[in-house]
Amino acid sequence: MQPRDLSDHVAYEAGRGIEEVARELGRDPSEFVKLASNENPHGPSPAAADAVREAAGSVSSYPKSAHTDLTDAVADRWSVDSAQVWLANGGDGAIDYLSRATLEPGDDVLVPSPGFAYYGMSARFHHGGVREYDLERDADFAQTPETVLSAYDGERIVYLTSPHNPSGSTIELADVERIAAETDAETLVVVDEAYGEFADVDSAVSLLEGRDGFEARDDIAVLRTFSKAYGLAGVRLGYAIVPGEWADAYARVNTPFAASEIACRAGLAAIDDDEHVERTVETARDSREYMRERIDARVWPSEGNFVLAAVGDATAVAEACQERGVIVRDCSSFGLPGCIRITCGTESETERAVETVNAVLEELAPEREREVTDA
C-alpha cells in the first residue's frame, strides 16, 4: 500500500529556527538572532498573549462562540458581511479553502515565480495543475497586468501577492481590476495581502465591495493573516475575504472548527491592539530603509517586513551569516540562488544583520566578483 503519486509535489521549506541551528552547531541559542521567517521582532500583541493565558482553561471546549466573535470582528474591521470572512488555520489554510471551493480535477492555477510555494502545493493537493508567470529581477519584480495576462491561459485561479514575497513589490488596485476584467468570468483572482499592514497601498477588499471609485466584483478574493503584523505566527490564524456570492461555500469546504479556541481568542485581542501593529510597522519601515542604505549589495525596494538582497552565492552567504549568529533566508528555494531575504528586526537586530552581511560579503568578495564576471 502506497500513497498516491506525489512526484510532482514539493515540500515547503520553512526558515530554520534558532534552537534547531544552535543544536546543529553545538552553540547556545542566545548567540543567535533569527531574521529568516518574517516574524514579528516585538513578539505577539501583548493583549493577545494575555488572552491566550486566560483562554488556557477553556481549551476543552470547541471554539463556537470565539469563532463567531472573531469572524464578526474581522468583518467589522473591513466593513464586509460576516459570511464573507473565511477563518482558517493560517493563510495557507485559507488558500486550501479557496482551492476546495474552486478547483475541479485538472483545473490549473497561475502563480508568480518567484513566489510562495504553497499556492501551487495547494492546487496539486486538490488535483489541480500549476502554471507560472515570471517576475523579473531586472524589472524589480514588478507585477504588471501585462506580465500576468501574457502568461494567462484560462486558469481557474490567478494568484497575485501584494506585497510580494520575497521581493516586497506591490500591485496597484487598478492593475488588479484590469487583470480581473481581462480574465475569464470563471477565473478567481486571489490577492495575497499577508504583508498588507506594512505597505502603502490600499487593500483589494475595495474591489470586492465597489469602494474608492471601483465597481464591485465577484471574481476577487483577498487573503490576510495574523502571523506578521500581529505577531501570531505560532497560533496559525488567517482568513480569506470572498465575494458575497461565495459566502455559503464556506460551510461546505472548511474543516470542523477552522481555527482553534486559542487562536480565535488571540485574534480577538490582537485585532484591536493598534498600538502593537503601529509599532511593528514603524520598526519594519525603519529597518528596511536602514538595510537598503547600508548593505553592500543590491537591495530591492520593499513594502513588506523584509528585504531581498543580491549577494552572489546565497547559500554560502546564508551559511556564513549563520556561523556568525545571524540566520537569514537563502532564497534558492524561491529560484533565486543569488539572493538572501532578511527580515526586518529591532534596531539592534537590524544593525547586527547589516554588519554581519557586509562582513561576509567582504570575506567572499573575490568569489563574488568571479561569479558576476561569469554571469
Side-chain angles (χ1 to χ4, degrees), residues 2-54:
Q2 296 291 323
R4 67 183 174 96
D5 182 9
L6 300 174
S7 58
D8 287 340
H9 295 247
V10 294
Y12 178 71
E13 295 185 31
R16 304 185 69 201
I18 287 177
E19 293 79 7
E20 176 189 2
V21 171
R23 281 197 303 269
E24 181 180 297
L25 299 179
R27 290 161 60 180
D28 191 302
S30 65
E31 298 178 32
F32 295 89
V33 58
K34 180 187 177 186
L35 299 175
S37 297
N38 300 340
E39 294 156 335
N40 192 317
H42 299 302
S45 153
D50 289 342
V52 168
R53 285 188 286 268
E54 292 172 6

Side-chain angles (χ1 to χ4, degrees), residues 39-49 197-198 226-233 269-284:
E39 294 156 335
N40 192 317
H42 299 302
S45 153
E197 287 84 0
F198 301 99
F226 283 86
S227 294
K228 310 303 180 183
Y230 294 99
L232 299 182
I271 199 169
D272 290 324
D273 193 350
D274 294 334
E275 181 179 348
H276 184 69
V277 172
E278 290 168 4
R279 180 190 182 202
T280 299
V281 170
E282 182 179 358
T283 295

Side-chain angles (χ1 to χ4, degrees), residues 312-350:
D313 184 339
T315 300
V317 170
E319 289 178 352
C321 287
Q322 182 174 281
E323 286 285 344
R324 295 169 184 248
V326 177
I327 305 171
V328 299
R329 184 64 182 263
D330 175 355
C331 286
S332 297
S333 63
F334 285 92
L336 296 171
C339 298
I340 60 171
R341 190 190 66 196
I342 311 168
T343 301
C344 296
T346 62
E347 183 176 351
S348 61
E349 289 172 341
T350 300

Side-chain angles (χ1 to χ4, degrees), residues 39-360:
E39 294 156 335
N40 192 317
H42 299 302
S45 153
D50 289 342
V52 168
R53 285 188 286 268
E54 292 172 6
S58 64
V59 295
S60 58
S61 299
Y62 291 112
K64 293 180 180 177
S65 62
H67 191 282
T68 300
D69 291 346
L70 180 56
T71 298
D72 291 344
V74 172
D76 183 64
R77 172 59 63 98
W78 291 105
S79 299
V80 298
D81 189 85
S82 293
Q84 292 177 254
V85 177
W86 291 9
L87 290 185
N89 180 35
D92 43 359
I95 291 170
D96 279 341
Y97 292 159
L98 292 174
S99 294
R100 294 178 195 178
T102 307
L103 300 178
E104 298 281 1
D107 283 346
D108 288 340
V109 303
L110 186 63
V111 306
S113 177
F116 184 38
Y118 200 74
Y119 302 146
M121 292 170 67
S122 181
R124 292 188 177 100
F125 293 157
H126 296 88
H127 303 280
V130 182
R131 298 185 64 255
E132 298 179 342
Y133 60 92
D134 293 327
L135 301 180
E136 300 294 339
R137 282 181 51 163
D138 292 343
D140 292 339
F141 301 95
Q143 302 179 74
T144 66
E146 291 77 14
T147 298
V148 177
L149 293 170
S150 64
Y152 174 73
D153 189 26
E155 286 77 17
R156 191 73 162 93
I157 300 177
V158 173
Y159 282 99
L160 310 175
T161 316
S162 187
H164 171 254
N165 179 21
S167 75
S169 69
T170 57
I171 183 167
E172 297 295 330
L173 294 193
D175 292 336
V176 176
E177 182 186 47
R178 178 182 163 191
I179 291 168
E182 296 187 23
T183 50
D184 295 344
E186 295 302 312
T187 292
L188 179 69
V189 176
V190 178
V191 186
D192 186 346
E193 297 179 350
Y195 301 95
E197 287 84 0
F198 301 99
D200 290 325
V201 293
D202 294 329
S203 171
V205 173
S206 295
L207 299 176
L208 275 78
E209 299 302 295
R211 302 173 190 150
D212 302 326
F214 295 103
E215 293 186 8
R217 303 198 63 90
D218 63 359
D219 54 358
I220 293 173
V222 177
L223 297 172
R224 285 268 172 165
T225 182
F226 283 86
S227 294
K228 310 303 180 183
Y230 294 99
L232 299 182
V235 302
R236 312 306 302 124
L237 181 63
Y239 57 92
I241 300 177
V242 303
E245 295 83 351
W246 288 61
D248 292 344
Y250 185 49
R252 294 175 173 83
V253 299
N254 73 335
T255 55
F257 309 105
S260 73
E261 175 75 9
I262 292 291
C264 288
R265 294 297 176 191
L268 275 166
I271 199 169
D272 290 324
D273 193 350
D274 294 334
E275 181 179 348
H276 184 69
V277 172
E278 290 168 4
R279 180 190 182 202
T280 299
V281 170
E282 182 179 358
T283 295
R285 288 174 175 166
D286 290 345
S287 176
R288 68 196 186 202
E289 180 180 354
Y290 186 92
M291 289 191 283
R292 283 205 72 209
E293 290 177 349
R294 290 170 172 81
I295 289 178
D296 297 332
R298 180 182 182 185
V299 178
W300 279 271
S302 171
E303 297 236 25
N305 67 337
F306 54 85
V307 298
L308 183 72
V311 295
D313 184 339
T315 300
V317 170
E319 289 178 352
C321 287
Q322 182 174 281
E323 286 285 344
R324 295 169 184 248
V326 177
I327 305 171
V328 299
R329 184 64 182 263
D330 175 355
C331 286
S332 297
S333 63
F334 285 92
L336 296 171
C339 298
I340 60 171
R341 190 190 66 196
I342 311 168
T343 301
C344 296
T346 62
E347 183 176 351
S348 61
E349 289 172 341
T350 300
E351 290 174 354
R352 181 178 174 187
V354 169
E355 179 182 350
T356 300
V357 170
N358 284 346
V360 168

